[in-house]
């Protein structure tokens, strides 16, 4: 009898917690950016759940001396996070990488959860760290904006 009551209490608590998450408003967002517009702030009362950040696979192909060719990698790094500079590619300082066109395994894991009032910016470069240049293409970010559940 006691085991059934405990099981019932646990299931009731789980259902109560689940309804709290269900009630939260969740709006899908998809933004396009470039190196001049890639600055963001998570609004007060919201949480962003970033699912993916990406850009073109390549914008040029290098031909090697032996005749083989390699696409020039495009990378996206977190440039600033809450005012702290994470990436300064001209100064050979590289922070968290969120996209690499030729090796997706070398990026940080998704989803990325950003709480309210988080500020961040992104920078897109082409080439390898130490010899990269600014990428003048377009990037994309998909995320959910979740309304934070306010408890009375």
């Amino acid at each position: 009898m006691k085991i059934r009551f405990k099981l019932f209490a646990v299931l009731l608590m789980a259902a109560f917690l689940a309804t709290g998450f269900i009630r939260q408003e969740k709006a899908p967002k998809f933004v396009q950016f470039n190196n001049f517009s890639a600055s963001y702030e998570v609004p007060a009362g919201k949480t962003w759940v970033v699912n993916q950040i990406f850009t073109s696979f390549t914008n040029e192909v290098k031909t090697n001396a032996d005749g083989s060719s390699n696409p020039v990698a495009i990378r996206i790094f977190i440039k600033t996070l809450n005012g702290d500079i994470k990436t300064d590619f001209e100064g050979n300082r590289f922070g968290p990488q969120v996209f690499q066109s030729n090796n997706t395994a070398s990026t940080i894991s998704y989803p990325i959860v950003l709480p309210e009032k988080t500020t961040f910016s992104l920078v897109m470069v082409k080439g390898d760290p130490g010899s990269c240049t600014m990428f003048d293409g377009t990037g994309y970010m998909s995320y959910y904006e979740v309304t934070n559940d306010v408890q009375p």
Side-chain angles (χ1 to χ4, degrees):
M1 186 70 139
K2 286 184 178 183
I3 293 174
R4 282 188 186 170
F5 178 74
K6 286 181 182 180
L7 180 60
F8 175 75
V10 168
L11 291 174
L12 185 63
M13 181 66 90
F16 177 73
L17 291 173
T19 59
F21 290 113
I22 293 169
R23 288 183 300 158
Q24 289 182 313
E25 290 183 35
K26 182 171 139 179
K29 306 279 186 167
F30 187 77
V31 295
Q32 181 176 333
F33 62 90
N34 60 38
N35 277 323
F36 301 103
S37 66
S39 295
Y40 304 95
E41 180 173 0
V42 179
K46 306 288 184 179
T47 297
W48 284 6
V49 180
V50 179
N51 298 310
Q52 189 175 34
I53 301 172
F54 62 96
T55 188
S56 307
F57 178 73
T58 188
N59 72 337
E60 66 183 79
V61 177
K62 285 188 175 181
T63 302
N64 301 321
D66 65 359
S68 63
S69 60
N70 292 326
V72 175
I74 299 173
R75 303 163 188 265
I76 302 176
F77 292 96
I78 294 176
K79 183 177 181 180
T80 61
L81 185 59
N82 291 332
D84 186 28
I85 297 172
K86 298 296 179 189
T87 299
D88 172 14
F89 74 92
E90 293 169 326
N92 273 339
R93 180 177 173 189
F94 297 93
Q97 182 173 271
V98 294
F99 175 78
Q100 182 177 332
S101 62
N102 63 350
N103 186 0
T104 56
S106 66
T107 62
I108 62 176
S109 299
Y110 288 97
I112 302 168
V113 179
L114 301 169
E116 64 181 337
K117 299 183 182 178
T118 298
T119 60
F120 69 101
S121 62
L122 304 169
V123 63
M124 297 182 289
V125 298
K126 61 182 179 178
D128 296 322
S131 63
C132 54
T133 59
M134 187 79 73
F135 175 61
D136 62 357
T138 302
Y140 306 91
M141 178 171 61
S142 69
Y143 63 97
Y144 283 102
E145 184 174 83
V146 179
T147 301
N148 297 342
D149 189 19
V150 180
Q151 298 294 327

